[in-house]
Amino acid sequence: MLDILLIITFVILFVKFFSWLFTPTYRSGYGSWPSSTSVTVTLPHPEKTNPYRFFKYIEMTPYITLKAVRKELRRQNIVLKPEYEKAMNDKIRRHVFHNPYTFEEYFHCKFDIIGIRFLQCSPDKLSAFRIDLCYLKDDKIADLDDFDFIPPYPYNHKRKYLEIMDEYYFDPQKIYASEFEDIWKWYDEVGKSLNQNLVAVWDDEIFTLRELLRYHEITDYHIRYIRVREIARAHDMPDELGPLLKHVEADFGPDRNKSILAAILAFSIREMDIDLEQHVHILEPEKDLFSDLPTEEKK
């Protein structure tokens, strides 16, 4: 009898744990949606995002996730635009959907500001393995993107890098298939957009970009960039992220990666009648990046 009770107790505890483990939170950027399904997603606001970005979300999101999203939208009586509803239903029914727009034909690679940041597995700039990009256009986030790539030897064999790959479930096959040079060449929106628009970084991410370009012997670049932290210091504003966020009183939503922060902080500073053009530096193959920097930073 005792054995039976122990088995029943174990089963109940296991079911409860399994249920807790797969109970997600939906994040739309405008609140949280508790759900009993087994997925967690970030949904672009269907009324405030552009068609390219929403169709891209449908194309990239697994159909099983979209089924749960559709259920939650209906539960909250949120009505999608007819074209969004049709795209979501097509993806759920056929398990595949192709964005009717391409990045270049929709945006023509023209933006107000592009924020960038890199993920690195060590302080060494060449240990970077991901670039995040935030495209700002017409005072809104037009698109967010990221590209994974393998860092050069020996960084791709270091323990910290392998631990990060394991912790965040990066797909080694995807990363090993690309180096930064491949990202620059294969995805026209990266190199073309960075060359044609104002790039914003928080602080030293520009050094990472420079080192990657030089290491891979990439020479087709002429990048206009600003360093947000440098501008804050020049205008007696806080030069730490937290205090500066409060100072500009910008609404960032739940996403706080530095590519978004750099882009919107730059936009917010511009809205304070600060001329960003006065703080523009140039990154190009023939130019010594350090020549633009104060003496204490040329180390």
Side-chain angles (χ1 to χ4, degrees), residues 246-291:
K246 294 180 181 179
H247 183 81
V248 301
E249 298 181 345
D251 179 16
F252 294 91
D255 293 306
R256 295 227 168 190
N257 76 56
K258 285 186 180 178
S259 66
I260 296 178
L261 294 182
I264 303 184
L265 277 171
F267 167 78
S268 301
I269 290 173
R270 188 182 66 185
E271 292 296 289
M272 299 167 67
D273 294 326
I274 293 175
D275 185 5
L276 298 182
E277 291 296 322
Q278 294 183 357
H279 300 275
V280 170
H281 302 290
I282 304 297
L283 179 63
E284 57 187 5
E286 297 78 15
K287 190 176 181 63
D288 178 9
L289 180 67
F290 291 101
S291 65

Side-chain angles (χ1 to χ4, degrees), residues 6-20:
L6 287 174
I7 292 173
I8 293 174
T9 302
F10 174 78
V11 171
I12 292 173
L13 290 174
F14 178 78
V15 170
K16 285 186 176 182
F17 172 76
F18 194 82
S19 176
W20 168 82

